[in-house]
Amino acid sequence: MPKKRPKAEDWTDPTGLLLLQSWAQQGLSQEEICTNMERLRGVPIAPRTLRRWIAKYPATIGVAFNNGREASIAIVENLSLIHISEPTRPS
């Protein structure tokens, strides 16, 4: 049986892009995202391949990663601001 090769087109549908964005938002590394992709679709993907797809498909896969990372950063920044702006209570 021939080995299946990963295809970027399998991840450019709305569901695939949402998964990629969600994993990026969770702060997963590209290696961890590749592991999740393999578990979900059963086709192994190397981090190098994922980096190529991000560069080759900036309007879809690249945007999903950027939006996920930006959302994650915004959440952390907001939590930091809330923590800084809260008055400290005496013990």
Side-chain angles (χ1 to χ4, degrees):
M1 182 175 200
K3 201 175 195 182
K4 285 184 89 178
R5 294 185 57 153
K7 296 179 186 171
E9 293 76 24
D10 293 340
W11 294 96
T12 56
D13 65 327
T15 303
L17 293 172
L18 187 60
L19 283 167
L20 294 173
Q21 182 176 340
S22 174
W23 291 330
Q25 186 174 350
Q26 292 171 28
L28 299 181
S29 68
Q30 289 185 357
E31 290 78 15
E32 292 169 320
I33 290 172
C34 288
T35 300
N36 285 352
M37 293 169 78
E38 181 178 354
R39 281 189 200 135
L40 192 65
R41 302 272 167 98
V43 179
I45 176 171
R48 180 177 171 185
T49 301
L50 182 57
R51 286 190 294 275
R52 284 184 189 152
W53 289 354
I54 291 169
K56 187 173 181 179
Y57 303 99
T60 53
I61 295 176
V63 167
F65 268 87
N66 288 337
N67 289 346
R69 297 275 187 235
E70 288 173 7
S72 181
I73 290 168
I75 290 168
V76 171
E77 287 176 348
N78 287 338
L79 289 173
S80 297
L81 291 174
I82 290 170
H83 180 70
I84 291 170
S85 66
E86 288 180 350
T88 55
R89 296 184 183 142
S91 314

PDB file of all heavy atoms in Angstrom, residues 33-66:
ATOM      1  N   ILE A  33       1.772  20.943  16.716  1.00  0.00           N
ATOM      2  CA  ILE A  33       0.681  21.067  15.754  1.00  0.00           C
ATOM      3  C   ILE A  33       0.784  19.966  14.707  1.00  0.00           C
ATOM      4  O   ILE A  33      -0.224  19.354  14.331  1.00  0.00           O
ATOM      5  CB  ILE A  33       0.676  22.473  15.115  1.00  0.00           C
ATOM      6  CG1 ILE A  33       0.257  23.502  16.181  1.00  0.00           C
ATOM      7  CG2 ILE A  33      -0.248  22.526  13.901  1.00  0.00           C
ATOM      8  CD1 ILE A  33       0.388  24.943  15.751  1.00  0.00           C
ATOM      9  N   CYS A  34       1.997  19.663  14.266  1.00  0.00           N
ATOM     10  CA  CYS A  34       2.196  18.568  13.306  1.00  0.00           C
ATOM     11  C   CYS A  34       1.737  17.238  13.894  1.00  0.00           C
ATOM     12  O   CYS A  34       1.118  16.420  13.206  1.00  0.00           O
ATOM     13  CB  CYS A  34       3.653  18.479  12.887  1.00  0.00           C
ATOM     14  SG  CYS A  34       4.169  19.827  11.809  1.00  0.00           S
ATOM     15  N   THR A  35       2.023  17.021  15.165  1.00  0.00           N
ATOM     16  CA  THR A  35       1.577  15.795  15.838  1.00  0.00           C
ATOM     17  C   THR A  35       0.055  15.734  15.862  1.00  0.00           C
ATOM     18  O   THR A  35      -0.538  14.678  15.582  1.00  0.00           O
ATOM     19  CB  THR A  35       2.136  15.737  17.276  1.00  0.00           C
ATOM     20  OG1 THR A  35       3.564  15.760  17.206  1.00  0.00           O
ATOM     21  CG2 THR A  35       1.678  14.494  18.001  1.00  0.00           C
ATOM     22  N   ASN A  36      -0.596  16.851  16.180  1.00  0.00           N
ATOM     23  CA  ASN A  36      -2.057  16.886  16.187  1.00  0.00           C
ATOM     24  C   ASN A  36      -2.625  16.633  14.794  1.00  0.00           C
ATOM     25  O   ASN A  36      -3.631  15.930  14.636  1.00  0.00           O
ATOM     26  CB  ASN A  36      -2.557  18.232  16.703  1.00  0.00           C
ATOM     27  CG  ASN A  36      -2.411  18.387  18.191  1.00  0.00           C
ATOM     28  OD1 ASN A  36      -2.060  17.442  18.894  1.00  0.00           O
ATOM     29  ND2 ASN A  36      -2.653  19.577  18.686  1.00  0.00           N
ATOM     30  N   MET A  37      -1.984  17.208  13.787  1.00  0.00           N
ATOM     31  CA  MET A  37      -2.449  17.012  12.413  1.00  0.00           C
ATOM     32  C   MET A  37      -2.366  15.540  12.024  1.00  0.00           C
ATOM     33  O   MET A  37      -3.277  15.008  11.391  1.00  0.00           O
ATOM     34  CB  MET A  37      -1.605  17.872  11.455  1.00  0.00           C
ATOM     35  CG  MET A  37      -1.802  19.363  11.633  1.00  0.00           C
ATOM     36  SD  MET A  37      -0.587  20.361  10.746  1.00  0.00           S
ATOM     37  CE  MET A  37      -1.229  20.258   9.076  1.00  0.00           C
ATOM     38  N   GLU A  38      -1.274  14.894  12.418  1.00  0.00           N
ATOM     39  CA  GLU A  38      -1.118  13.473  12.102  1.00  0.00           C
ATOM     40  C   GLU A  38      -2.159  12.632  12.827  1.00  0.00           C
ATOM     41  O   GLU A  38      -2.759  11.724  12.243  1.00  0.00           O
ATOM     42  CB  GLU A  38       0.283  12.999  12.476  1.00  0.00           C
ATOM     43  CG  GLU A  38       0.509  11.526  12.155  1.00  0.00           C
ATOM     44  CD  GLU A  38       1.914  11.053  12.482  1.00  0.00           C
ATOM     45  OE1 GLU A  38       2.765  11.875  12.855  1.00  0.00           O
ATOM     46  OE2 GLU A  38       2.145   9.844  12.343  1.00  0.00           O
ATOM     47  N   ARG A  39      -2.399  12.937  14.091  1.00  0.00           N
ATOM     48  CA  ARG A  39      -3.405  12.177  14.849  1.00  0.00           C
ATOM     49  C   ARG A  39      -4.787  12.316  14.227  1.00  0.00           C
ATOM     50  O   ARG A  39      -5.550  11.356  14.172  1.00  0.00           O
ATOM     51  CB  ARG A  39      -3.472  12.677  16.296  1.00  0.00           C
ATOM     52  CG  ARG A  39      -2.380  12.170  17.155  1.00  0.00           C
ATOM     53  CD  ARG A  39      -2.634  12.514  18.609  1.00  0.00           C
ATOM     54  NE  ARG A  39      -1.409  12.443  19.348  1.00  0.00           N
ATOM     55  CZ  ARG A  39      -0.986  13.325  20.221  1.00  0.00           C
ATOM     56  NH1 ARG A  39      -1.731  14.367  20.503  1.00  0.00           N
ATOM     57  NH2 ARG A  39       0.155  13.186  20.837  1.00  0.00           N
ATOM     58  N   LEU A  40      -5.082  13.517  13.768  1.00  0.00           N
ATOM     59  CA  LEU A  40      -6.419  13.781  13.238  1.00  0.00           C
ATOM     60  C   LEU A  40      -6.635  13.168  11.858  1.00  0.00           C
ATOM     61  O   LEU A  40      -7.671  12.562  11.594  1.00  0.00           O
ATOM     62  CB  LEU A  40      -6.655  15.287  13.183  1.00  0.00           C
ATOM     63  CG  LEU A  40      -8.074  15.724  12.930  1.00  0.00           C
ATOM     64  CD1 LEU A  40      -8.969  15.308  14.083  1.00  0.00           C
ATOM     65  CD2 LEU A  40      -8.146  17.217  12.745  1.00  0.00           C
ATOM     66  N   ARG A  41      -5.666  13.312  10.971  1.00  0.00           N
ATOM     67  CA  ARG A  41      -5.853  12.867   9.588  1.00  0.00           C
ATOM     68  C   ARG A  41      -5.085  11.591   9.254  1.00  0.00           C
ATOM     69  O   ARG A  41      -5.240  11.052   8.172  1.00  0.00           O
ATOM     70  CB  ARG A  41      -5.448  13.974   8.615  1.00  0.00           C
ATOM     71  CG  ARG A  41      -6.213  15.278   8.804  1.00  0.00           C
ATOM     72  CD  ARG A  41      -7.488  15.308   8.005  1.00  0.00           C
ATOM     73  NE  ARG A  41      -8.376  16.376   8.393  1.00  0.00           N
ATOM     74  CZ  ARG A  41      -8.498  17.539   7.793  1.00  0.00           C
ATOM     75  NH1 ARG A  41      -7.751  17.826   6.762  1.00  0.00           N
ATOM     76  NH2 ARG A  41      -9.367  18.423   8.213  1.00  0.00           N
ATOM     77  N   GLY A  42      -4.207  11.144  10.150  1.00  0.00           N
ATOM     78  CA  GLY A  42      -3.484   9.906   9.926  1.00  0.00           C
ATOM     79  C   GLY A  42      -2.356   9.983   8.914  1.00  0.00           C
ATOM     80  O   GLY A  42      -1.838   8.972   8.481  1.00  0.00           O
ATOM     81  N   VAL A  43      -1.971  11.196   8.543  1.00  0.00           N
ATOM     82  CA  VAL A  43      -0.887  11.382   7.581  1.00  0.00           C
ATOM     83  C   VAL A  43       0.219  12.162   8.282  1.00  0.00           C
ATOM     84  O   VAL A  43       0.000  13.290   8.710  1.00  0.00           O
ATOM     85  CB  VAL A  43      -1.363  12.156   6.331  1.00  0.00           C
ATOM     86  CG1 VAL A  43      -0.229  12.361   5.354  1.00  0.00           C
ATOM     87  CG2 VAL A  43      -2.526  11.435   5.676  1.00  0.00           C
ATOM     88  N   PRO A  44       1.416  11.572   8.406  1.00  0.00           N
ATOM     89  CA  PRO A  44       2.496  12.292   9.080  1.00  0.00           C
ATOM     90  C   PRO A  44       2.916  13.531   8.314  1.00  0.00           C
ATOM     91  O   PRO A  44       2.929  13.538   7.087  1.00  0.00           O
ATOM     92  CB  PRO A  44       3.635  11.282   9.154  1.00  0.00           C
ATOM     93  CG  PRO A  44       3.269  10.159   8.279  1.00  0.00           C
ATOM     94  CD  PRO A  44       1.822  10.251   7.945  1.00  0.00           C
ATOM     95  N   ILE A  45       3.237  14.584   9.049  1.00  0.00           N
ATOM     96  CA  ILE A  45       3.696  15.829   8.444  1.00  0.00           C
ATOM     97  C   ILE A  45       4.883  16.346   9.252  1.00  0.00           C
ATOM     98  O   ILE A  45       4.832  16.384  10.478  1.00  0.00           O
ATOM     99  CB  ILE A  45       2.571  16.880   8.373  1.00  0.00           C
ATOM    100  CG1 ILE A  45       3.115  18.193   7.838  1.00  0.00           C
ATOM    101  CG2 ILE A  45       1.885  17.065   9.685  1.00  0.00           C
ATOM    102  CD1 ILE A  45       2.061  19.214   7.539  1.00  0.00           C
ATOM    103  N   ALA A  46       5.926  16.727   8.560  1.00  0.00           N
ATOM    104  CA  ALA A  46       7.127  17.248   9.209  1.00  0.00           C
ATOM    105  C   ALA A  46       6.961  18.745   9.466  1.00  0.00           C
ATOM    106  O   ALA A  46       6.303  19.446   8.694  1.00  0.00           O
ATOM    107  CB  ALA A  46       8.345  17.014   8.321  1.00  0.00           C
ATOM    108  N   PRO A  47       7.549  19.252  10.554  1.00  0.00           N
ATOM    109  CA  PRO A  47       7.492  20.695  10.812  1.00  0.00           C
ATOM    110  C   PRO A  47       8.022  21.520   9.637  1.00  0.00           C
ATOM    111  O   PRO A  47       7.507  22.599   9.351  1.00  0.00           O
ATOM    112  CB  PRO A  47       8.367  20.869  12.058  1.00  0.00           C
ATOM    113  CG  PRO A  47       8.281  19.553  12.751  1.00  0.00           C
ATOM    114  CD  PRO A  47       8.201  18.530  11.651  1.00  0.00           C
ATOM    115  N   ARG A  48       9.013  21.003   8.933  1.00  0.00           N
ATOM    116  CA  ARG A  48       9.554  21.698   7.764  1.00  0.00           C
ATOM    117  C   ARG A  48       8.483  21.867   6.688  1.00  0.00           C
ATOM    118  O   ARG A  48       8.381  22.922   6.051  1.00  0.00           O
ATOM    119  CB  ARG A  48      10.736  20.902   7.230  1.00  0.00           C
ATOM    120  CG  ARG A  48      11.398  21.496   6.036  1.00  0.00           C
ATOM    121  CD  ARG A  48      12.595  20.657   5.656  1.00  0.00           C
ATOM    122  NE  ARG A  48      13.118  21.089   4.380  1.00  0.00           N
ATOM    123  CZ  ARG A  48      14.082  20.489   3.750  1.00  0.00           C
ATOM    124  NH1 ARG A  48      14.647  19.422   4.266  1.00  0.00           N
ATOM    125  NH2 ARG A  48      14.505  20.924   2.597  1.00  0.00           N
ATOM    126  N   THR A  49       7.683  20.838   6.494  1.00  0.00           N
ATOM    127  CA  THR A  49       6.592  20.913   5.515  1.00  0.00           C
ATOM    128  C   THR A  49       5.568  21.959   5.938  1.00  0.00           C
ATOM    129  O   THR A  49       5.100  22.748   5.121  1.00  0.00           O
ATOM    130  CB  THR A  49       5.915  19.535   5.364  1.00  0.00           C
ATOM    131  OG1 THR A  49       6.893  18.585   4.944  1.00  0.00           O
ATOM    132  CG2 THR A  49       4.776  19.578   4.372  1.00  0.00           C
ATOM    133  N   LEU A  50       5.240  21.972   7.220  1.00  0.00           N
ATOM    134  CA  LEU A  50       4.282  22.962   7.719  1.00  0.00           C
ATOM    135  C   LEU A  50       4.808  24.381   7.510  1.00  0.00           C
ATOM    136  O   LEU A  50       4.059  25.269   7.081  1.00  0.00           O
ATOM    137  CB  LEU A  50       3.979  22.705   9.197  1.00  0.00           C
ATOM    138  CG  LEU A  50       2.948  23.633   9.840  1.00  0.00           C
ATOM    139  CD1 LEU A  50       1.621  23.588   9.097  1.00  0.00           C
ATOM    140  CD2 LEU A  50       2.763  23.268  11.297  1.00  0.00           C
ATOM    141  N   ARG A  51       6.085  24.610   7.775  1.00  0.00           N
ATOM    142  CA  ARG A  51       6.676  25.935   7.546  1.00  0.00           C
ATOM    143  C   ARG A  51       6.592  26.320   6.068  1.00  0.00           C
ATOM    144  O   ARG A  51       6.323  27.476   5.732  1.00  0.00           O
ATOM    145  CB  ARG A  51       8.125  25.965   8.035  1.00  0.00           C
ATOM    146  CG  ARG A  51       8.250  26.016   9.550  1.00  0.00           C
ATOM    147  CD  ARG A  51       9.670  26.299   9.994  1.00  0.00           C
ATOM    148  NE  ARG A  51      10.600  25.229   9.663  1.00  0.00           N
ATOM    149  CZ  ARG A  51      10.802  24.157  10.411  1.00  0.00           C
ATOM    150  NH1 ARG A  51      10.134  23.994  11.529  1.00  0.00           N
ATOM    151  NH2 ARG A  51      11.682  23.237  10.042  1.00  0.00           N
ATOM    152  N   ARG A  52       6.806  25.350   5.177  1.00  0.00           N
ATOM    153  CA  ARG A  52       6.687  25.625   3.738  1.00  0.00           C
ATOM    154  C   ARG A  52       5.261  26.023   3.371  1.00  0.00           C
ATOM    155  O   ARG A  52       5.050  26.933   2.564  1.00  0.00           O
ATOM    156  CB  ARG A  52       7.092  24.401   2.926  1.00  0.00           C
ATOM    157  CG  ARG A  52       8.561  24.168   2.866  1.00  0.00           C
ATOM    158  CD  ARG A  52       8.855  22.991   1.960  1.00  0.00           C
ATOM    159  NE  ARG A  52      10.243  22.603   2.052  1.00  0.00           N
ATOM    160  CZ  ARG A  52      10.677  21.380   1.844  1.00  0.00           C
ATOM    161  NH1 ARG A  52       9.843  20.417   1.513  1.00  0.00           N
ATOM    162  NH2 ARG A  52      11.950  21.100   1.951  1.00  0.00           N
ATOM    163  N   TRP A  53       4.291  25.308   3.941  1.00  0.00           N
ATOM    164  CA  TRP A  53       2.889  25.624   3.656  1.00  0.00           C
ATOM    165  C   TRP A  53       2.531  27.022   4.148  1.00  0.00           C
ATOM    166  O   TRP A  53       1.795  27.741   3.478  1.00  0.00           O
ATOM    167  CB  TRP A  53       1.970  24.607   4.309  1.00  0.00           C
ATOM    168  CG  TRP A  53       1.999  23.244   3.695  1.00  0.00           C
ATOM    169  CD1 TRP A  53       2.662  22.844   2.573  1.00  0.00           C
ATOM    170  CD2 TRP A  53       1.336  22.091   4.192  1.00  0.00           C
ATOM    171  NE1 TRP A  53       2.441  21.510   2.339  1.00  0.00           N
ATOM    172  CE2 TRP A  53       1.626  21.016   3.324  1.00  0.00           C
ATOM    173  CE3 TRP A  53       0.524  21.838   5.289  1.00  0.00           C
ATOM    174  CZ2 TRP A  53       1.130  19.743   3.508  1.00  0.00           C
ATOM    175  CZ3 TRP A  53       0.028  20.562   5.482  1.00  0.00           C
ATOM    176  CH2 TRP A  53       0.333  19.518   4.588  1.00  0.00           C
ATOM    177  N   ILE A  54       3.030  27.405   5.323  1.00  0.00           N
ATOM    178  CA  ILE A  54       2.746  28.738   5.863  1.00  0.00           C
ATOM    179  C   ILE A  54       3.284  29.797   4.899  1.00  0.00           C
ATOM    180  O   ILE A  54       2.621  30.804   4.636  1.00  0.00           O
ATOM    181  CB  ILE A  54       3.352  28.895   7.274  1.00  0.00           C
ATOM    182  CG1 ILE A  54       2.596  27.996   8.261  1.00  0.00           C
ATOM    183  CG2 ILE A  54       3.303  30.350   7.726  1.00  0.00           C
ATOM    184  CD1 ILE A  54       3.269  27.870   9.621  1.00  0.00           C
ATOM    185  N   ALA A  55       4.473  29.561   4.338  1.00  0.00           N
ATOM    186  CA  ALA A  55       5.066  30.503   3.388  1.00  0.00           C
ATOM    187  C   ALA A  55       4.367  30.460   2.031  1.00  0.00           C
ATOM    188  O   ALA A  55       4.164  31.495   1.389  1.00  0.00           O
ATOM    189  CB  ALA A  55       6.551  30.206   3.220  1.00  0.00           C
ATOM    190  N   LYS A  56       3.969  29.279   1.598  1.00  0.00           N
ATOM    191  CA  LYS A  56       3.372  29.112   0.272  1.00  0.00           C
ATOM    192  C   LYS A  56       1.913  29.565   0.225  1.00  0.00           C
ATOM    193  O   LYS A  56       1.433  30.019  -0.809  1.00  0.00           O
ATOM    194  CB  LYS A  56       3.467  27.644  -0.152  1.00  0.00           C
ATOM    195  CG  LYS A  56       3.043  27.390  -1.572  1.00  0.00           C
ATOM    196  CD  LYS A  56       3.303  25.964  -1.988  1.00  0.00           C
ATOM    197  CE  LYS A  56       2.886  25.729  -3.422  1.00  0.00           C
ATOM    198  NZ  LYS A  56       3.158  24.364  -3.857  1.00  0.00           N
ATOM    199  N   TYR A  57       1.210  29.439   1.339  1.00  0.00           N
ATOM    200  CA  TYR A  57      -0.213  29.798   1.402  1.00  0.00           C
ATOM    201  C   TYR A  57      -0.441  30.864   2.475  1.00  0.00           C
ATOM    202  O   TYR A  57      -1.129  30.638   3.460  1.00  0.00           O
ATOM    203  CB  TYR A  57      -1.060  28.553   1.711  1.00  0.00           C
ATOM    204  CG  TYR A  57      -0.881  27.440   0.719  1.00  0.00           C
ATOM    205  CD1 TYR A  57      -0.044  26.363   0.985  1.00  0.00           C
ATOM    206  CD2 TYR A  57      -1.546  27.462  -0.503  1.00  0.00           C
ATOM    207  CE1 TYR A  57       0.133  25.335   0.072  1.00  0.00           C
ATOM    208  CE2 TYR A  57      -1.376  26.442  -1.427  1.00  0.00           C
ATOM    209  CZ  TYR A  57      -0.531  25.381  -1.129  1.00  0.00           C
ATOM    210  OH  TYR A  57      -0.360  24.372  -2.043  1.00  0.00           O
ATOM    211  N   PRO A  58       0.132  32.066   2.280  1.00  0.00           N
ATOM    212  CA  PRO A  58       0.016  33.095   3.323  1.00  0.00           C
ATOM    213  C   PRO A  58      -1.410  33.594   3.546  1.00  0.00           C
ATOM    214  O   PRO A  58      -1.740  34.044   4.645  1.00  0.00           O
ATOM    215  CB  PRO A  58       0.924  34.215   2.818  1.00  0.00           C
ATOM    216  CG  PRO A  58       0.987  34.028   1.346  1.00  0.00           C
ATOM    217  CD  PRO A  58       0.868  32.538   1.126  1.00  0.00           C
ATOM    218  N   ALA A  59      -2.265  33.490   2.532  1.00  0.00           N
ATOM    219  CA  ALA A  59      -3.627  33.992   2.662  1.00  0.00           C
ATOM    220  C   ALA A  59      -4.555  33.031   3.392  1.00  0.00           C
ATOM    221  O   ALA A  59      -5.643  33.422   3.806  1.00  0.00           O
ATOM    222  CB  ALA A  59      -4.210  34.302   1.287  1.00  0.00           C
ATOM    223  N   THR A  60      -4.129  31.795   3.566  1.00  0.00           N
ATOM    224  CA  THR A  60      -4.992  30.829   4.250  1.00  0.00           C
ATOM    225  C   THR A  60      -4.292  30.260   5.485  1.00  0.00           C
ATOM    226  O   THR A  60      -4.614  30.636   6.609  1.00  0.00           O
ATOM    227  CB  THR A  60      -5.399  29.686   3.295  1.00  0.00           C
ATOM    228  OG1 THR A  60      -4.226  29.115   2.704  1.00  0.00           O
ATOM    229  CG2 THR A  60      -6.340  30.171   2.211  1.00  0.00           C
ATOM    230  N   ILE A  61      -3.332  29.399   5.268  1.00  0.00           N
ATOM    231  CA  ILE A  61      -2.646  28.756   6.390  1.00  0.00           C
ATOM    232  C   ILE A  61      -1.843  29.790   7.182  1.00  0.00           C
ATOM    233  O   ILE A  61      -1.866  29.785   8.424  1.00  0.00           O
ATOM    234  CB  ILE A  61      -1.758  27.598   5.896  1.00  0.00           C
ATOM    235  CG1 ILE A  61      -2.644  26.490   5.293  1.00  0.00           C
ATOM    236  CG2 ILE A  61      -0.901  27.037   7.022  1.00  0.00           C
ATOM    237  CD1 ILE A  61      -1.903  25.335   4.675  1.00  0.00           C
ATOM    238  N   GLY A  62      -1.179  30.698   6.494  1.00  0.00           N
ATOM    239  CA  GLY A  62      -0.413  31.741   7.185  1.00  0.00           C
ATOM    240  C   GLY A  62      -1.292  32.631   8.044  1.00  0.00           C
ATOM    241  O   GLY A  62      -0.943  32.956   9.183  1.00  0.00           O
ATOM    242  N   VAL A  63      -2.444  33.021   7.516  1.00  0.00           N
ATOM    243  CA  VAL A  63      -3.375  33.867   8.268  1.00  0.00           C
ATOM    244  C   VAL A  63      -3.915  33.118   9.487  1.00  0.00           C
ATOM    245  O   VAL A  63      -4.037  33.689  10.571  1.00  0.00           O
ATOM    246  CB  VAL A  63      -4.535  34.352   7.363  1.00  0.00           C
ATOM    247  CG1 VAL A  63      -5.662  34.951   8.166  1.00  0.00           C
ATOM    248  CG2 VAL A  63      -4.015  35.344   6.348  1.00  0.00           C
ATOM    249  N   ALA A  64      -4.224  31.849   9.326  1.00  0.00           N
ATOM    250  CA  ALA A  64      -4.737  31.062  10.455  1.00  0.00           C
ATOM    251  C   ALA A  64      -3.718  31.039  11.596  1.00  0.00           C
ATOM    252  O   ALA A  64      -4.073  31.225  12.762  1.00  0.00           O
ATOM    253  CB  ALA A  64      -5.066  29.635  10.013  1.00  0.00           C
ATOM    254  N   PHE A  65      -2.443  30.836  11.265  1.00  0.00           N
ATOM    255  CA  PHE A  65      -1.401  30.830  12.292  1.00  0.00           C
ATOM    256  C   PHE A  65      -1.241  32.204  12.919  1.00  0.00           C
ATOM    257  O   PHE A  65      -1.157  32.336  14.145  1.00  0.00           O
ATOM    258  CB  PHE A  65      -0.066  30.368  11.699  1.00  0.00           C
ATOM    259  CG  PHE A  65       0.139  28.896  11.844  1.00  0.00           C
ATOM    260  CD1 PHE A  65      -0.346  28.023  10.891  1.00  0.00           C
ATOM    261  CD2 PHE A  65       0.792  28.383  12.945  1.00  0.00           C
ATOM    262  CE1 PHE A  65      -0.175  26.659  11.025  1.00  0.00           C
ATOM    263  CE2 PHE A  65       0.971  27.018  13.093  1.00  0.00           C
ATOM    264  CZ  PHE A  65       0.490  26.154  12.131  1.00  0.00           C
ATOM    265  N   ASN A  66      -1.194  33.247  12.097  1.00  0.00           N
ATOM    266  CA  ASN A  66      -1.014  34.598  12.630  1.00  0.00           C
ATOM    267  C   ASN A  66      -2.173  35.008  13.522  1.00  0.00           C
ATOM    268  O   ASN A  66      -1.965  35.581  14.591  1.00  0.00           O
ATOM    269  CB  ASN A  66      -0.834  35.609  11.497  1.00  0.00           C
ATOM    270  CG  ASN A  66       0.511  35.479  10.834  1.00  0.00           C
ATOM    271  OD1 ASN A  66       1.458  34.975  11.417  1.00  0.00           O
ATOM    272  ND2 ASN A  66       0.608  35.932   9.597  1.00  0.00           N
TER     273      ASN A  66
END
